[in-house]
Amino acid sequence: MSQAEAAITAQDYDLAAENLQDARQTFNQLSNYYQELAQMFLGVDTQLHQSHRVKALETAQLRDQASYQLALVYRTQNQAALAVPLLMEILRSQQPTRDLGQRAYQQLFELGFVDQPYEGSGSAATSSSE
């Protein structure tokens, strides 16, 4: 991730994209491994199950952050078709109620993929009940 940040600062977006893709893949694999470990200890050892579950969530968060940065790099390169799937993946993982999910939705709005902004929790419930 730090190499990708340095590449972004140097405006070497191809290298940044490559580094971020590698980071995404690594964090995704780690998250899946921790998730598998957590499942193996479900009902066997609560402390180990919870510990591995937390690690899975932490690495998934890092994966989503790398995905978001990669989507921004793609936007900078005018490659919205590559950014949209990443932003959707982030929304599935983070949900629109979390900060990263809200930022991903905002990017979709700015790209013109969605036509209404998300104003935060409560706005949809208010407008749908009226």
Side-chain angles (χ1 to χ4, degrees):
M1 291 285 287
S2 60
Q3 291 174 346
E5 289 175 27
I8 290 169
T9 301
Q11 296 184 347
D12 186 349
Y13 298 117
D14 291 333
L15 179 59
E18 185 179 319
N19 289 333
L20 288 166
Q21 288 167 348
D22 290 346
R24 280 185 74 242
Q25 183 177 4
T26 300
F27 289 136
N28 193 51
Q29 285 177 326
L30 289 171
S31 180
N32 288 338
Y33 292 153
Y34 284 124
Q35 198 168 6
E36 286 179 40
L37 282 168
Q39 288 303 313
M40 288 176 198
F41 286 96
L42 182 63
V44 175
D45 186 316
T46 304
Q47 186 175 4
L48 283 174
H49 166 76
Q50 186 60 26
S51 173
H52 296 313
R53 187 174 175 279
V54 167
K55 290 280 190 191
L57 291 171
E58 288 171 349
T59 53
Q61 180 70 26
L62 291 170
R63 176 206 58 216
D64 292 345
Q65 290 171 357
S67 297
Y68 183 77
Q69 289 299 320
L70 182 56
L72 295 181
V73 167
Y74 286 150
R75 277 202 67 188
T76 300
Q77 295 176 312
N78 294 319
Q79 296 180 349
L82 296 176
V84 168
L86 291 171
L87 296 167
M88 290 299 298
E89 187 178 300
I90 294 164
L91 270 167
R92 274 192 295 276
S93 175
Q94 297 286 319
Q95 300 299 307
T97 55
R98 298 182 72 194
D99 179 60
L100 192 54
Q102 289 176 13
R103 289 188 287 152
Y105 187 86
Q106 179 62 32
Q107 291 295 318
L108 290 171
F109 178 70
E110 290 175 13
L111 285 167
F113 187 76
V114 295
D115 61 0
Q116 292 189 26
Y118 176 62
E119 302 299 331
S121 57
S123 62
T126 303
S127 59
S128 66
S129 66
E130 292 178 1

